[in-house]
Amino acid sequence: MGINTRLIHGGISWDKQTGAVNIPIYQTSTFKQKSLGETYGYEYSRTGNPTREALESLIAELEGGLAGFAFSSGMAAISSVFMLFNSGDKIVLPDNIYGGTYRVMENVFKRFGLRAVYIDTTKIEEVEKAFEGKARAIFIETPTNPLMDVTDIRRVAEVAKRAGGLTIVDNTFMTPYLQRPIELGADIVVHSATKYLGGHSDVVAGLAVTATEELKERLHFIQNSVGAVLGPQDSYYIIRGVKTLGVRMDRHEENAMKVAKWLRTQEGIEKVYYPGLPDHPGHKIMKGQADGFGGILSFRTSTPQLALKILNGVRLITLGESLGGVESLICQPATMTHASFPEDIRGRLGIDDCLVRLSVGIEDADDIIEDLRTAMGG
Ligand SMILES: *Cc1c(COP(=O)(O)O)cnc(C)c1O
């Protein structure tokens, strides 16, 4: 079955008890037992809840993995995955990564002895070198946030596998509609379902998918022990969001391409970072590993004043953190999403006051462009 069909009918998509076409919201913390030691399949909602399970089976199927796990946020999913490792283990990460992932690694997991190495994961030699240094895993985002660097998932997974390490991919920007890292060799996929999967800026949620039985057992143990689970109501919202993911992603991408092409013709816009543009350095790799380029782009203005003018001048586009909602969202990574990065790293990467990130929504592209034009002052 095609991906659009699976978005709607994948996993446990209807209620076997009543025939309800939507999985009910099982708003319960605990479950009655038939007799001592004999259950109806569930015991306690931290361990398992039917609505959450419907979402978990759906994301596992969409990502082509063995098991899915739903968490209370993307950060809860990522943190739970980091808990698979032991004190002293070395984890490789991209040097431009989601700010929250950097923050939790540097300020929480380092205290428990995890050792993080930040490299340019687009350079396979750097990945090889990191694994020669006995890394246990590599955690990648592709494209990266906010510079839209593209990493070759197949090659990274090969290097990691050869060294006996795990490949973990944060697939938030692409979603399984456009990119399925497990099919390319990854072991674990994580998501901030807050973004495209939910799609309507109304839920905070996280997901993880494992490719093997062993990882499934270990991550389930952590999910149940640590308990950062997604509630039944929010699980329902994510399931509902996923049903329209295909049509939304198609429009996000169509609009992003139009906005990217328009932006690069504008005076004062020095650079547009969008992998859908044929001259983007990651364009070819992305064509080989994804079914599209998504709806996020960044751009660099010639002066910080122009960036400020745009950020404060937009009316239709919302100034705010987050991305992947139906509405266009704009932000300045240096002061917002990536403020927890040390200034020297930000400076080296070019995450400065001239860099603007735009999550292109599904409004009419002409209106988005008009809003940017007006904000830029003509
Ligand atoms: C938002 C985001 C996260 C964190 O997810 P939350 O749901 O906000 O906890 C992680 N990775 C990426 C790429 C994100 O965009």
Side-chain angles (χ1 to χ4, degrees):
M1 272 193 292
I3 183 85
N4 284 292
T5 307
R6 281 181 288 132
L7 290 171
I8 296 160
H9 298 284
I12 306 161
S13 66
W14 56 284
D15 183 40
K16 304 286 184 287
Q17 302 253 317
T18 62
V21 295
N22 287 302
I23 203 80
I25 300 165
Y26 285 92
Q27 195 70 52
T28 187
S29 60
T30 191
F31 298 84
K32 180 182 165 67
Q33 302 198 353
K34 284 183 198 169
S35 61
L36 191 65
E38 201 188 351
T39 70
Y40 291 94
Y42 298 91
E43 295 157 24
Y44 186 61
S45 279
R46 170 159 39 71
T47 315
N49 172 285
T51 316
R52 193 178 92 217
E53 210 170 276
L55 170 60
E56 293 176 332
S57 65
L58 174 62
I59 193 64
E61 183 174 330
L62 295 175
E63 288 287 2
L66 205 65
F69 301 91
F71 296 93
S72 52
S73 69
M75 286 321 305
I78 291 167
S79 299
S80 298
V81 166
F82 284 160
M83 288 178 207
L84 292 168
F85 299 95
N86 297 318
S87 175
D89 284 352
K90 193 197 266 183
I91 318 264
V92 185
L93 298 119
D95 53 15
N96 76 99
I97 188 169
Y98 178 71
T101 306
Y102 177 82
R103 180 175 56 196
V104 79
M105 178 55 87
E106 288 302 299
N107 298 307
V108 180
F109 287 99
K110 266 202 176 165
R111 289 196 285 109
F112 292 87
L114 281 197
R115 293 185 296 150
V117 190
Y118 299 92
I119 64 164
D120 180 352
T121 57
T122 67
K123 299 202 172 85
I124 202 73
E125 323 78 69
E126 288 199 30
V127 176
E128 282 168 346
K129 218 173 84 202
F131 276 101
E132 280 162 21
K134 302 264 180 292
R136 294 270 300 133
I138 183 162
F139 180 106
I140 57 174
E141 274 174 33
T142 179
T144 56
N145 183 3
L147 292 171
M148 308 307 289
D149 290 335
V150 175
T151 291
D152 189 326
I153 301 174
R154 281 191 196 88
R155 293 189 73 189
V156 164
E158 265 169 38
V159 172
K161 201 149 278 168
R162 227 182 299 130
L166 295 178
T167 302
I168 305 159
V169 180
D170 183 335
N171 204 27
T172 301
F173 272 34
M174 287 284 97
T175 81
Y177 180 69
L178 295 179
Q179 179 171 278
R180 290 167 299 282
I182 289 174
E183 290 175 1
L184 306 169
D187 302 285
I188 299 176
V189 170
V190 293
H191 281 282
S192 170
T194 314
K195 314 294 168 56
Y196 287 112
L197 297 177
H200 297 75
S201 305
D202 52 6
V203 193
V204 173
L207 297 168
V209 177
T210 59
T212 67
E213 188 64 37
E214 190 222 338
L215 288 169
K216 168 188 162 180
E217 295 298 323
R218 287 172 55 205
L219 194 58
H220 182 254
F221 185 84
I222 289 167
Q223 184 193 36
N224 185 39
S225 306
V226 177
V229 293
L230 191 64
Q233 178 104 28
D234 287 350
S235 297
Y236 174 80
Y237 279 131
I238 302 298
I239 294 169
R240 188 168 74 164
V242 167
K243 288 182 205 279
T244 56
L245 181 67
V247 286
R248 284 188 286 109
M249 289 311 284
D250 287 349
R251 175 66 74 85
H252 280 297
E253 178 164 328
E254 192 186 314
N255 283 358
M257 188 64 100
K258 284 183 187 162
V259 174
K261 282 186 176 157
W262 176 81
L263 273 172
R264 70 184 341 193
T265 64
Q266 297 307 297
E267 210 178 310
I269 303 299
E270 290 203 328
K271 192 168 173 178
V272 178
Y273 305 82
Y274 182 61
L277 296 171
D279 55 358
H280 183 281
H283 181 76
K284 248 183 82 189
I285 295 172
M286 208 141 161
K287 270 192 132 164
Q289 69 185 15
D291 298 326
F293 305 99
I296 313 286
L297 59 86
S298 294
F299 57 92
R300 178 172 295 288
T301 56
S302 53
T303 63
Q305 289 77 15
L306 180 58
L308 202 65
K309 207 168 154 191
I310 296 170
L311 290 158
N312 286 330
V314 286
R315 290 290 170 268
L316 173 72
I317 302 168
T318 307
L319 172 65
E321 305 220 353
S322 198
L323 55 97
V326 289
E327 64 284 292
S328 295
L329 281 158
I330 199 163
C331 80
Q332 186 182 51
T335 56
M336 295 168 70
T337 53
H338 288 67
S340 55
F341 266 60
E343 214 174 320
D344 61 314
I345 298 189
R346 269 192 267 128
R348 181 161 53 77
L349 296 172
I351 303 175
D352 56 26
D353 291 351
C354 293
L355 188 73
V356 177
R357 188 188 75 191
L358 181 61
S359 170
V360 183
I362 63 172
E363 303 97 339
D364 289 300
D366 290 346
D367 291 332
I368 300 168
I369 289 171
E370 196 47 42
D371 196 37
L372 289 168
R373 190 201 313 275
T374 311
M376 284 164 72

